[in-house]
Amino acid sequence: MIEELVQRRAGPAGLADVAARALAGERLDAQDGARLFAAEDLSLVAALAGTLRRRRHGDRAFFNVNQHLNYTNICRSRCRFCAFHRLEGQAGAYCLTPEQAADEVRRRLAEPITEVHMVGGVHPSLPYGYYLDLLRAVKAARPGVHLKAFTMVEIDEMVRLAGKTPAEVYAELKEAGLDSLPGGGAEIFAARVRRELFPRKIGAERWLELARAAHAAGLRTNCTMLYGHIETPAERVDHLLRLRALQDETGGFQTFVPLAFHPENTALAHLKGPTAHDSLRIVAVARLLLDNIPHIKAYWVMLGIPAAQAALSCGADDLDGTLVEERIGHDAGAATPRALARAELVRLIAEAGFQAVERDTLYNVVRVEEPRA
Ligand code: V47
């Protein structure tokens, strides 16, 4: 019924062929992606993506109970979009010892946290052993927890410091307690944007190579795209299709997380950042192009809560988690709370018309909430 309606509306919007292929489960290409970004009728693109999302996940929307831990904000990359980084010795710079990081985790032992999400800057003087000690200390503080840590940017640094292959480093990190990796550091793959906004950070090829090696080591990862700064629609499509191509090879990505750029306190404070309209379109186009990545996360910290709720109808199936003390988005002016209680997340999902399902990091169901009223 809904599918017929969507198909009928696609004609006048000039998207009849794209809609027909998407609904038939056929793969869309770069040109289709460009047309979906250019289409005036966002509600149609959203309805198409929402239809595919419901086919995969029904009316379920996932969340988890997690704790964010940013072990250091000291970073030599100095990316222009980032408000979180500090130079060594600069006011506000910090670096937790492994024991201090473990204390942060111990302070929350009474909460039903299933995941610690731990990332930091590219610190110029930490030794390789620090990262192994950090994992061991956090794991010892909460042995059952799933430790999702380090972006490909940090992994690149460890590979360099250790003088070992990525496979050897991943084996040692796993041994020390690493269970999976988050999706950060991908930003936008276009070399043009990288040169302008983050020239000292690893490039697309290296990010993809290290993700490939993580998947080969049996580690699941997420993937991200930072949008709403200076990237073009074609650069967004290119980014999404490069993620899709790697996923065809490895199947190791669990979730795509679009990250809405927040300009405050960054070197790009003159930009206005994306609107909710931009964000919903990104979520929808991602759902349509990324036919091989099971989950799309509406990361409420960056999207804002109302847009994250709306995104569940436009292709997203996950709201991320409770996230105690997130810093990267909040340093850049995110107006969302620093944490949400579990009950609050459940309420937000029900309010948006979905069935809340608590998951662990690997999407095993922890608890299905009472069906929504
Ligand atoms: O890589 C930095 C982004 C990322 C800003 O995998 C900014 O489940 C917006 O990757 N405005 C780190 N974004 C966060 C991240 C993440 C978050 C939640 C879940 C997962 C997951 C991954 O944050 C960075 C960068 O792309 N970022 N500064 C900013 N001003």
Side-chain angles (χ1 to χ4, degrees):
M1 252 302 275
I2 289 183
E3 304 198 2
E4 275 169 38
L5 205 72
V6 171
Q7 185 63 62
R8 222 173 315 128
R9 281 183 51 205
L15 289 174
D17 58 324
V18 183
R21 279 184 280 119
L23 292 173
E26 286 173 30
R27 180 159 270 197
L28 302 184
D29 64 16
Q31 258 192 347
D32 298 327
R35 287 167 66 196
L36 291 165
F37 272 117
E40 269 178 31
D41 187 351
L42 172 61
S43 72
L44 173 65
V45 179
L48 254 181
T51 303
L52 297 193
R53 175 249 190 269
R54 279 185 188 275
R55 271 193 203 162
R56 262 178 199 268
H57 302 294
D59 69 351
R60 291 183 154 201
F62 298 98
F63 71 98
N64 73 346
V65 181
N66 63 354
Q67 174 176 9
H68 271 223
L69 189 52
N70 299 127
Y71 58 90
T72 184
N73 62 354
I74 297 174
C75 186
R76 62 150 176 265
S77 296
R78 288 178 286 137
C79 302
R80 296 184 69 209
F81 58 77
C82 176
F84 173 67
H85 70 274
R86 297 287 181 278
L87 294 176
E88 239 174 341
Q90 192 182 345
Y94 73 89
C95 181
L96 304 182
T97 64
E99 264 322 293
Q100 287 170 328
D103 283 344
E104 291 292 314
V105 170
R106 265 186 227 108
R107 285 201 299 126
R108 309 245 164 222
L109 281 179
E111 295 167 37
I113 288 165
T114 62
E115 169 190 287
V116 171
H117 174 149
M118 185 167 71
V119 293
V122 186
H123 192 299
S125 47
L126 287 173
Y128 175 54
Y130 168 88
Y131 299 97
L132 299 172
D133 289 344
L134 184 62
L135 292 171
R136 287 190 198 107
V138 168
K139 219 32 180 293
R142 189 157 199 158
V145 88
H146 182 110
L147 200 36
K148 181 179 88 176
F150 307 136
T151 67
M152 299 311 156
V153 183
E154 292 152 281
I155 298 293
D156 178 67
E157 180 69 2
M158 291 177 214
V159 166
R160 202 181 59 72
L161 288 170
K164 298 184 177 176
T165 64
E168 288 166 338
V169 167
Y170 282 129
E172 290 178 356
L173 295 174
K174 277 173 81 169
E175 182 71 31
L178 182 71
D179 295 305
S180 69
L181 289 90
E187 319 313 357
I188 192 105
F189 289 145
R192 175 192 77 85
V193 182
R194 174 168 175 257
R195 275 194 302 276
E196 214 165 306
L197 300 191
F198 45 97
R200 285 169 289 275
K201 187 169 250 175
I202 60 170
E205 283 72 24
R206 184 65 172 159
W207 192 95
L208 291 163
E209 180 189 340
L210 292 172
R212 183 183 289 111
H215 299 166
L219 289 160
R220 289 309 189 97
T221 79
N222 290 339
C223 51
T224 56
M225 177 172 78
L226 181 69
Y227 66 90
H229 39 88
I230 61 163
E231 84 289 358
T232 63
E235 287 163 344
R236 292 172 176 176
V237 170
D238 167 69
H239 187 99
L240 295 172
L241 295 190
R242 290 175 85 169
L243 292 174
R244 185 173 80 180
L246 180 58
Q247 181 73 343
D248 278 343
E249 264 181 58
T250 67
F253 290 129
Q254 296 206 106
T255 307
F256 172 69
V257 194
L259 293 166
F261 172 57
H262 280 261
E264 223 175 280
N265 305 322
T266 74
L268 302 173
H270 57 285
L271 299 180
K272 68 174 178 50
T275 60
H277 187 270
D278 296 330
S279 293
L280 296 180
R281 187 184 299 266
I282 296 269
V283 166
V285 177
R287 181 64 287 159
L288 290 163
L289 291 184
L290 299 177
D291 54 4
N292 54 3
I293 298 186
H295 301 283
I296 309 259
K297 196 178 273 189
Y299 183 45
W300 60 264
V301 171
M302 305 294 194
L303 274 184
I305 289 170
Q309 284 180 302
L312 293 176
S313 296
C314 303
D317 60 282
D318 191 319
L319 275 196
D320 202 86
T322 45
L323 299 154
V324 179
E325 286 153 21
E326 193 280 339
R327 284 172 187 261
I328 299 173
H330 288 98
D331 283 359
T336 41
R338 287 205 176 249
L340 282 181
R342 186 184 184 288
E344 184 72 355
L345 269 174
V346 169
R347 185 185 64 76
L348 293 172
I349 290 172
E351 239 178 46
F354 290 87
Q355 160 87 66
V357 177
E358 183 186 339
R359 60 162 177 89
D360 65 14
T361 312
L362 301 174
Y363 287 83
N364 298 303
V365 172
V366 174
R367 185 165 138 193
V368 180
E369 294 298 316
E370 289 301 306
R372 63 204 156 82

